[in-house]
Amino acid sequence: MVNQLAVVGGGVIGLSVAWRAAAAGYDVTVIDRSPGCGASWVAGGMLAPVTEAWPGEEAALHLGEESLRRWPAFAAALAEDGGDPGLSTTGTVVVALDRGDADQLGVLADYLRTVGREVESVTGRQLRSLEPGVSGVRALLVPGDLAVDNRKLLRSLQAAAIRHGVKFVDDDATEVETGRVRTVSGEVPCEVAVIAAGARSARLHPALAVRPLKGEILRLRARRTSLPPPSRTVRAVVEGRPIYLVPRAGGELVLGATQYEAGFDETVSARGVRELLEGAERIFPSIDEYELVETAAGLRAASVDTLPFIGELGEGVFAATGHHRNGLLMAPVTADAIVAWLDGAAPPPHVEAAHPHRLGAK
Ligand code: GLY
């Protein structure tokens, strides 16, 4: 029976694993200099396996849907243990701005139908009556793709972890091996270590082919003179770039996200801000009147096949990382998988596809 668990990384995945494991009775330590920050703090908060889906990525779709099914219970348990994470169930709409986009949307809709997901196609006029101020010639309604307030979520996870006795070590992990995690200023002994260090995971194990994929977001707020934000998450592709507007309670809107291979660069560039604003005003022109509250950049933990790495790397060392564009979505299934392995039980369905050795590296 494992008792001591060390979790390397205090983002949404590390905190979820730590909370669920501590709630299940394990003695848990999280190693992170700034828990609750990083990519999870910058995220848009979409829980969107269907609108992130693309032909050839069925394993990610199935795993994402498995996690989405777990989200309502996860959020309810978290509300009891640490605070309401702000799960929004208003759904998602994917907008086509012109005929070319409408063709692309048709490809997505056909694909989703072939894998058995029903989506509703609406006209531009129907879209405007559902979401005043949102432009488009056609749209797909995807009511099952949800969203969460990433910042409330992180605060709730930290509170829930503390409530269940999770300890936090303010340090950087340098090496993970059976029985301990070495850090810059010492080591943390453990029976099991979980690497949940996001874009920095590759430094901790050779099998973790994770690279940073920079994303910039803007946070905006409606003013008295502007239209309120759309009620649903609105997604589109503008000039080949995916863009989304995710409403938050209280008139805020998260506008994301750029996507660049830029190493570990986390600066917000003028180009990123321009691209996001130019894209957003094509979809929701009223955004020009909004107050610009914040710009931020984060590093997604990208994998070559868009699937995460969840599973045993070696004796007493597990991976829970590489969630690409889907970290918040996949937090519940990842935490449940780790706790199942600790308990000696079977992991949730579809997790096997995310085995960390699937790409051949050991
Ligand atoms: N999940 C959306 C993104 O990574 O930008």
Side-chain angles (χ1 to χ4, degrees), residues 26-314:
Y26 295 94
D27 175 1
V28 183
T29 302
V30 171
I31 302 157
D32 196 319
R33 275 206 195 281
S34 325
C37 297
S40 316
W41 182 253
V42 175
M46 288 182 296
L47 309 176
V50 168
T51 50
E52 287 281 341
W54 203 243
E57 295 176 2
E58 287 73 31
L61 172 65
H62 294 143
L63 185 59
E65 289 187 316
E66 183 61 41
S67 201
L68 186 59
R69 274 192 281 281
R70 289 162 194 260
W71 251 102
F74 183 87
L78 189 55
E80 294 270 307
D81 268 8
D84 177 6
L87 182 64
S88 159
T89 55
T90 52
T92 298
V93 59
V94 191
V95 170
L97 290 168
D98 55 31
R99 277 176 181 273
D101 288 354
D103 292 345
Q104 282 290 314
L105 216 55
V107 172
L108 178 63
D110 289 347
Y111 164 65
L112 290 169
R113 286 186 190 112
T114 61
V115 290
R117 307 304 183 283
E118 257 325 304
V119 287
E120 188 187 348
S121 181
V122 297
T123 63
R125 183 187 293 239
Q126 288 167 317
L127 170 68
R128 279 184 290 285
S129 76
L130 288 168
E131 293 292 357
V134 174
S135 318
V137 295
R138 282 210 80 77
L140 282 187
L141 295 181
V142 186
D145 271 9
L146 310 182
V148 69
D149 184 326
N150 59 318
R151 296 185 175 179
K152 278 191 184 170
L153 170 66
L154 289 165
R155 284 192 279 264
S156 302
L157 285 170
Q158 281 179 283
I162 289 167
R163 182 167 172 203
H164 282 283
V166 173
K167 295 177 279 300
F168 286 84
V169 170
D170 176 6
D171 207 345
D172 287 324
T174 54
E175 220 176 316
V176 179
E177 55 193 55
T178 307
R180 69 180 152 202
V181 176
R182 291 185 198 274
T183 66
V184 170
S185 48
E187 65 175 48
V188 177
C190 58
E191 285 161 272
V192 168
V194 178
I195 300 175
R200 290 179 172 79
S201 300
R203 296 173 178 175
L204 298 172
H205 198 286
L208 297 177
V210 176
R211 67 184 199 284
L213 185 60
K214 179 177 171 181
E216 292 151 310
I217 58 113
L218 311 181
R219 293 173 84 94
L220 301 108
R221 190 177 296 124
R223 293 192 301 162
R224 206 167 37 82
T225 48
S226 49
L227 278 180
S231 62
R232 299 164 176 78
T233 296
V234 179
R235 308 186 62 152
V237 176
V238 181
E239 319 256 331
R241 292 187 289 270
I243 193 166
Y244 47 81
L245 291 83
V246 190
R248 292 278 190 268
E252 265 205 5
L253 193 58
V254 181
L255 164 57
T258 59
Q259 193 159 290
Y260 301 117
E261 305 279 351
F264 286 90
D265 170 27
E266 286 180 83
T267 48
V268 177
S269 69
R271 179 175 81 164
V273 174
R274 176 177 50 76
E275 281 178 7
L276 289 170
L277 284 175
E278 280 179 359
E281 68 188 359
R282 301 263 308 273
I283 306 163
F284 184 60
S286 194
I287 204 157
D288 281 348
E289 306 298 326
Y290 276 45
E291 176 189 352
L292 178 57
V293 178
E294 183 186 333
T295 63
L299 301 174
R300 304 174 184 89
S303 65
V304 286
D305 58 2
T306 73
L307 272 169
F309 296 105
I310 310 171
E312 192 165 11
L313 285 161

